[in-house]
Amino acid sequence: MTAEPEATHMGESESARSGRTADDVDVYLYMYDLTGQRAKYLAPLLGVQCEAIWHTAIVVYDLEIMYGGDVLAFAPGESPFGAAMRIEFLGCSTVERADLLAYVSDELSPRFRVDNYDVFTNNCNHFTSALCEFLLGKPLDVSILQQPEQLMNAPV
């Protein structure tokens, strides 16, 4: 039995108070557990606290954009990872769709290729963080970015 993804959405009154305009677009973080929800059983064996081993993607403009060897885009929820374990509202962006697609193509695609994947410095979560910074001016939470290091330094 799979759990329904948790979603945090911004209410209309919250949007109005934030000064949001009609041109703003919502940005969501989709989080997938690479262990298939087995991390909670593995964590005690590794000696670390770990809810999941995260693969992340950004959803904006009805596109789920991620790094999985190459930069990929899907309809939200249609990626090979299936339903997200967690969905978090990150904020609103004023970046236009054409500018987003150009940034992904010109800046991110050359940096995030299958031949330069590195679990510590250039993985899916680093891609998501770079895209988050472009769209919202803030990186992905450091706890997600440091997860591979935390697991490698576990006192097994």
Side-chain angles (χ1 to χ4, degrees):
M1 177 179 202
T2 56
E4 289 296 312
E6 299 171 17
T8 306
H9 298 279
M10 185 175 196
E12 242 0 88
S13 60
E14 205 173 328
S15 296
R17 284 193 305 254
S18 71
R20 180 178 173 168
T21 69
D23 294 331
D24 290 351
V25 63
D26 291 343
V27 178
Y28 292 92
L29 175 67
Y30 275 37
M31 300 173 72
Y32 301 92
D33 180 7
L34 293 176
T35 70
Q37 298 184 353
R38 291 179 194 88
K40 59 186 167 203
Y41 304 112
L42 297 171
L45 298 173
L46 296 173
V48 296
Q49 287 291 90
C50 173
E51 173 188 3
I53 297 177
W54 296 118
H55 170 85
T56 58
I58 291 290
V59 173
V60 61
Y61 287 112
D62 290 324
L63 290 172
E64 181 173 351
I65 307 169
M66 67 176 63
Y67 173 47
D70 285 310
V71 175
L72 306 167
F74 301 92
E78 298 295 321
S79 82
F81 293 96
M85 182 176 169
R86 183 183 299 163
I87 299 171
E88 294 182 10
F89 175 76
L90 296 178
C92 296
S93 177
T94 58
V95 174
E96 294 185 17
R97 183 185 176 100
D99 294 334
L100 165 67
L101 297 177
Y103 178 76
V104 169
S105 175
D106 300 342
E107 300 294 327
L108 295 182
S109 289
R111 282 176 43 201
F112 293 93
R113 301 181 320 268
V114 70
D115 62 323
N116 64 359
Y117 174 87
D118 184 280
V119 71
F120 293 110
T121 62
N122 206 54
N123 65 36
C124 61
N125 300 321
H126 294 97
F127 172 85
T128 299
S129 187
L131 190 52
C132 189
E133 280 195 67
F134 177 73
L135 290 167
L136 300 169
K138 63 182 180 183
L140 192 59
D141 187 282
V142 71
S143 67
I144 296 170
L145 293 173
Q146 292 177 343
Q147 192 175 49
E149 223 171 295
Q150 177 192 17
L151 292 171
M152 289 301 292
N153 292 329
V156 184

